[in-house]
Amino acid sequence: MEPRRNLQPLQMAKPKGHIDPVCSMTVEPVEDTPKSTYQEKDYYFCCAGCKTKFDADPERYLDPEKRKAADEAEAKAAEGDTRVYICPMCPEIRQIGPGPCPKCGMALEPEEVSLELTKQVYVCPMHPEVVQDGPGNCPKCGMALEPREIEIEEKNPELEDMSRRFWAGLAFTVPILVIAMGPMVGLDLFPHNARAGAAIQALFATWAMWNGKPFFERAWVSLKLRSPNMFTLIGIGTAVAYLHSLIATVAPGLFPASFRDHMGAVPVYFESAAVILTLVALGQVMELKARSQTGTAIRALLGLAPKTARRVAADGKEEDVPLRDLQVGDLLRVRPGEKVPVDGVVTEGQSAVDESMLTGESLPVSKREGDDVVGGTLNGSGGFVMRAERLGKDTLLAQIVKLVSEAQRSRAPIQTVADRVSAIFVPAVVLSAALSFVCWAVWGPEPKLAYAILNAVAVLIIACPCALGLATPMSIMVGTGRGAQAGVLVKDAHALELMERVDTLVLDKTGTLTVGKPKVAAILQAGTISSQEVLALASGLERSSEHPLAAAILEAAATQGVEPSAVQDFSSLTGLGLKGTLNGAPVALGNLALLESLAIEPGDLARLALELQAKGQTTVFVCRDGAVIGLIGVEDPIKPDAAALLAHLAELGIEPVMLTGDAQGVAEAVASKLGLRQFRANQRPEDKAKVIQELRQAGKVVAMAGDGVNDAPGLAAADVGIAMGTGTDVAIHTSAITLVKGELSGILRARKLSRAVMSNIRLNLIWAFGYNTLGVPLAAGVLYPFFGVLLSPMIAAAAMSLSSVSVIANALRLRSVRL
């Protein structure tokens, strides 16, 4: 028997379990267990999610009363929410509406995130790396942040606040202007007491300065973060004018003779400070309104989606339900004139659907049983029933909105020019203002110091780096939105800039130059094997393949009533074909390279394959038990616009190159029909990527257009990858530009869009550089020695505000560019 003392430590040991304050689960702490310390006490959590919630509001989870109140408030806010909610820790828990998980106690999360209920994230249009929850100002440039996800009914609290401040500032500024400028038009309100007039101006100017508080806050943040911007200049300029005037009003005796005019009075510039702040507020209002128009295309896309769908129940009853209540597989009726609610397939009826907003194609597209339909497109005069395939964020419309939103926040390489200039611009302006002050103080007319202050303030105010920073992002935002309307989706601004300089276009054949819907044109067999036996084996192998040829072979089998063979151990050999086993015997389907790898002789069928290839047919050999038993010829018609498009590209200086995995004979036949000078056959996916690398190393700017899985390496290797929107998801995700319609004419649209956007950016940059190059010397008084002309700080403020608006207005012209 063990001594009793050995039991003592067990009796005295403290329990290891800790209660998670968020979900109430018992936690056994180990080395990497999430932990937080609050008020010198450690708390352990079952997962990082609970820790995050606790850190955000510890009192809520430690005070039962506060937790109860918060839970009740959330429940009230969520009232009427009929979305499906799941537990992040127990995914088997599903319920309608929010609430705690009955197993672990964690708050359930929505299975499908709704745009209307998602917490909005705000970003800076000039510095997309600046991200925060809720509206505010960019700490780098001081600009108002914008919502990352554009909403149909967008409320802009910054615009509302700035509008109120403009009208309030105007009310404060008008009395100052009447008192200060009145004597010039014979309206002197204080002919015998100028100091009283100055005192009243000081009162209104103080209110105006307080009204302009956001500008000074932005200026202070810019100084604190050592990131000077336009508000730094505005803050310094107006503060100098106001403080000088205030001291001149309260204690004029402090100023020497060099500050006084010929009457012995010290000039005040309350009107300059007030007018500058009012004009800056007006400029912000105009700029915010103009910037909101850059999201017009996205709002138009969002507006395409209807709010409800008409669901057909199993018993034939129909009811209108919100989109968030739909599930994959639901049958939906689309009546004449209605919008298609989600992506799906027509199961009954036929109609013509207007897809112009998504594809840029003005003619309606005929839809019948088996055809795909896209959510947001407009049904014509016919009616049909469809099966829902993709919902919520998975629909093409949602993906387009997401893609365009991300592209609008991306940065083009040309932006680095403006970035480098902006980095030294504000310090250079401050130095210019100081130099102007010194020059006027030394060589200016009397009162020298008064002139020095006036011109230094004018220099600070007129120099607006905001126009320089907006030049590129505004054009990118409007241009990518316009492209989306025309069916050209740009993933990032870099691709948009490069597309203008592309001089070589690499093209896949199947699905790019051809329609992509091949059909079986010939079935040849060896010996006594029947064509049905060849087709049965081929369709059995192709059942698990996504290649366009597979669809053609399976369609032929279905049309002829041939049952596909029960092939097992299926495997795909990229660039070669397919193999498997049938009743224990090896079977395969593919090209000559596959036969070589399997050491199989094609026999007489090799000659027949060359004859079919000369007609433009793709050939595949069907093998069983180490021998070729048949040959299938598949024909894929060339797209009607392919030849004309390639000729047009050649006129633009773009050399088309076809790379295809097909045999040499097929490639030659297609190239001959299209007038292609450069092409390569028998290209595996890795071969295509190598060819593209060779072209780039030769100094070419290469774009590649393709639509299949085998095109993904080439799309990634090219300077600009262009995915035909009718292709596979992997091709679309790998590419930089997607053509929604999948037509070759979209390549020309992408080229035109790139040229239009880059031309617009260059014009914006020329304007921004030119404005500042001319504005600073004028404000410094360079014309005064020759013409006696000085630029008032008030005029400088108006010019500064209009410079940003002019850049945005120029960018908005892209909304009407013809593609």
Side-chain angles (χ1 to χ4, degrees):
M1 183 175 177
E2 291 292 330
R4 185 175 177 84
R5 62 176 181 274
N6 289 340
L7 296 176
Q8 192 64 22
L10 293 178
Q11 293 174 345
M12 297 178 63
K14 295 180 180 179
K16 295 181 179 180
H18 291 261
I19 302 300
D20 184 328
V22 176
C23 66
S24 302
M25 287 186 67
T26 300
V27 180
E28 298 289 345
V30 292
E31 186 176 350
D32 59 348
T33 298
K35 182 183 80 169
S36 279
T37 303
Y38 180 70
Q39 293 183 350
E40 300 183 355
K41 184 177 179 181
D42 292 337
Y43 296 92
Y44 293 87
F45 305 91
C46 66
C47 64
C50 283
K51 179 182 182 302
T52 301
K53 293 179 180 180
F54 179 82
D55 291 342
D57 188 3
E59 289 296 331
R60 169 177 176 174
Y61 299 100
L62 298 178
D63 187 331
E65 293 298 323
K66 288 185 178 180
R67 181 163 189 166
K68 181 180 178 182
D71 290 345
E72 289 177 352
E74 286 184 357
K76 187 175 181 181
E79 190 175 348
D81 188 352
T82 58
R83 289 180 295 170
V84 176
Y85 280 70
I86 61 174
C87 176
M89 292 186 62
C90 313
E92 70 276 10
I93 300 299
R94 298 164 58 89
Q95 72 175 41
I96 301 297
C101 173
K103 283 191 174 181
C104 67
M106 286 194 67
L108 302 182
E109 298 177 353
E111 184 176 38
E112 291 289 338
V113 178
S114 167
L115 282 176
E116 293 81 4
L117 297 177
T118 301
K119 188 174 184 180
Q120 188 62 280
V121 175
Y122 284 70
V123 299
C124 175
M126 287 172 57
H127 302 91
E129 69 275 12
V130 176
V131 180
Q132 73 174 40
D133 293 335
N137 303 317
C138 174
K140 289 189 175 182
C141 65
M143 289 187 65
L145 302 180
E146 296 180 343
R148 173 180 282 168
E149 301 291 342
I150 296 176
E151 299 172 347
I152 298 177
E153 297 179 359
E154 181 182 359
K155 289 185 178 180
N156 191 333
E158 180 72 14
L159 177 58
E160 294 174 358
D161 177 65
M162 204 55 66
S163 298
R164 288 193 300 267
R165 290 185 183 278
F166 164 68
W167 289 111
L170 186 64
F172 299 142
T173 302
V174 169
I176 301 175
L177 282 175
V178 171
I179 297 172
M181 302 298 181
M184 298 180 184
V185 294
L187 183 62
D188 192 348
L189 300 181
F190 300 92
H192 305 295
N193 194 347
R195 193 168 180 182
I200 294 176
Q201 288 185 60
L203 179 63
F204 281 103
T206 301
W207 288 340
M209 295 289 282
W210 179 257
N211 185 62
K213 180 182 175 183
F215 305 138
F216 294 105
E217 289 176 342
R218 298 179 191 183
W220 172 247
V221 170
S222 71
L223 292 172
K224 188 167 62 173
L225 298 179
R226 297 180 183 178
S227 179
N229 51 55
M230 64 172 286
F231 295 103
T232 313
L233 304 179
I234 292 169
I236 295 174
T238 53
V240 168
Y242 172 76
L243 292 174
H244 162 81
S245 303
L246 187 63
I247 296 172
T249 302
V250 178
L254 297 177
F255 289 87
S258 57
F259 275 89
R260 301 178 184 273
D261 58 21
H262 64 282
M263 299 291 292
V266 181
V268 294
Y269 305 111
F270 288 121
E271 79 283 357
S272 293
V275 169
I276 287 170
L277 291 174
T278 302
L279 288 174
V280 170
L282 176 61
Q284 290 289 291
V285 170
M286 296 170 65
E287 181 183 313
L288 288 165
K289 285 185 176 179
R291 278 163 54 188
S292 68
Q293 295 179 44
T294 60
T296 300
I298 298 298
R299 275 188 286 274
L301 288 171
L302 286 170
L304 290 175
K307 301 298 182 185
T308 61
R310 190 162 189 83
R311 185 165 57 190
V312 181
D315 59 1
K317 293 183 179 179
E318 300 181 5
E319 62 172 341
D320 291 326
V321 297
L323 292 189
R324 64 189 180 203
D325 290 348
L326 295 180
Q327 295 183 0
V328 173
D330 282 348
L331 295 180
L332 311 174
R333 183 175 299 282
V334 182
R335 293 167 291 193
E338 290 184 338
K339 290 180 179 178
V340 178
V342 294
D343 296 359
V345 178
V346 177
T347 60
E348 177 188 325
Q350 62 181 22
S351 183
V353 177
D354 181 359
E355 298 180 340
S356 58
M357 188 59 188
L358 294 177
T359 65
E361 177 58 53
S362 58
L363 295 177
V365 181
S366 178
K367 301 290 183 182
R368 52 178 50 87
E369 187 176 341
D371 288 340
D372 294 330
V373 286
V374 179
T377 53
L378 183 64
N379 184 30
S381 57
F384 59 88
V385 176
M386 60 173 287
R387 181 176 64 252
E389 297 285 348
R390 290 185 295 276
L391 310 175
K393 63 180 183 297
D394 295 326
T395 63
L396 177 61
L397 181 61
Q399 292 180 36
I400 289 176
V401 170
K402 183 176 184 293
L403 193 65
V404 176
S405 296
E406 291 174 352
Q408 290 182 340
R409 305 301 176 193
S410 61
R411 296 169 71 83
I414 197 173
Q415 175 70 21
T416 58
V417 177
D419 290 344
R420 286 197 297 266
V421 174
S422 297
I424 61 173
F425 185 79
V426 174
V429 170
V430 174
L431 184 61
S432 299
L435 185 62
S436 174
F437 180 89
V438 171
C439 291
W440 280 92
V442 175
W443 295 292
E446 296 294 342
K448 293 183 177 182
L449 292 181
Y451 275 113
I453 290 176
L454 198 67
N455 287 284
V457 169
V459 170
L460 290 170
I461 297 302
I462 200 170
C464 177
C466 186
L468 193 60
L470 285 172
T472 299
M474 289 298 107
S475 297
I476 295 295
M477 288 183 70
V478 181
T480 50
R482 176 67 187 96
Q485 290 177 317
V488 178
L489 303 182
V490 181
K491 185 177 289 185
D492 61 70
H494 189 193
L496 193 61
E497 181 173 336
L498 280 176
M499 190 63 196
E500 181 193 38
R501 299 192 283 114
V502 165
D503 54 22
T504 304
L505 176 64
V506 173
L507 297 150
D508 174 51
K509 180 183 75 70
T510 305
T512 303
L513 291 172
T514 61
V515 174
K517 294 183 178 180
K519 294 185 179 298
V520 172
I523 302 177
L524 306 177
Q525 59 274 1
T528 59
I529 303 295
S530 67
S531 60
Q532 284 80 9
E533 193 173 351
V534 173
L535 188 57
L537 179 54
S539 59
L541 280 163
E542 294 284 21
R543 277 194 300 187
S544 301
S545 173
E546 295 182 355
H547 196 279
L549 296 183
I553 292 173
L554 289 170
E555 182 182 357
T559 302
Q560 298 183 27
V562 174
E563 182 71 24
S565 300
V567 175
Q568 298 175 332
D569 303 324
F570 169 87
S571 63
S572 175
L573 306 174
T574 305
L576 298 176
L578 311 167
K579 68 178 183 177
T581 59
L582 178 63
N583 298 326
V587 293
L589 176 148
N591 52 25
L592 276 174
L594 175 68
L595 299 188
E596 292 174 4
S597 68
L598 298 176
I600 298 175
E601 288 295 328
D604 292 339
L605 289 179
R607 176 181 55 80
L608 297 175
L610 292 176
E611 294 178 3
L612 294 179
Q613 290 169 12
K615 299 178 183 178
Q617 294 181 24
T618 300
T619 56
V620 290
F621 294 92
V622 183
C623 309
R624 183 175 64 195
D625 204 12
V628 176
I629 66 169
L631 175 70
I632 297 178
V634 181
E635 187 174 39
D636 189 4
I638 294 173
K639 289 183 177 180
D641 63 342
L645 172 86
L646 296 180
H648 195 168
L649 288 173
E651 293 175 4
L652 295 175
I654 300 176
E655 180 71 25
V657 179
M658 182 179 73
L659 301 182
T660 176
D662 269 327
Q664 183 71 20
V666 179
E668 287 179 355
V670 173
S672 176
K673 293 178 182 179
L674 294 174
L676 278 170
R677 294 185 301 172
Q678 294 193 47
F679 64 90
R680 296 195 190 184
N682 299 308
Q683 295 292 299
R684 299 182 184 183
E686 59 271 22
D687 296 330
K688 294 180 182 180
K690 288 178 182 177
V691 171
I692 291 172
Q693 291 289 4
E694 291 171 6
L695 290 169
R696 293 181 65 188
Q697 289 171 4
K700 303 291 186 180
V701 181
V702 183
M704 179 184 177
D707 75 329
V709 174
N710 63 330
D711 297 323
L715 291 169
D719 291 295
V720 181
I722 304 174
M724 316 306 282
T726 50
T728 59
D729 287 343
V730 67
I732 293 173
H733 291 157
T734 309
S735 65
I737 295 176
T738 298
L739 308 179
V740 177
K741 183 69 173 177
E743 291 183 348
L744 289 170
S745 58
I747 297 175
L748 286 177
R749 291 179 181 177
R751 175 78 165 198
K752 291 178 181 178
L753 177 67
S754 175
R755 284 186 165 181
V757 171
M758 295 312 299
S759 175
N760 194 273
I761 288 174
R762 292 188 188 101
L763 185 59
N764 274 346
L765 288 174
I766 290 171
W767 161 253
F769 279 121
Y771 164 82
N772 287 295
T773 301
L774 292 174
V776 172
L778 287 176
V782 71
L783 297 179
Y784 186 80
F786 308 101
F787 306 104
V789 175
L790 285 177
L791 193 65
S792 165
M794 293 182 288
I795 297 176
M800 179 270 297
S801 297
L802 290 174
S803 67
S804 298
V805 176
S806 65
V807 164
I808 299 174
N810 182 54
L812 289 174
R813 293 191 305 112
L814 289 169
R815 292 188 300 177
S816 58
V817 66
R818 297 193 63 175
L819 300 178

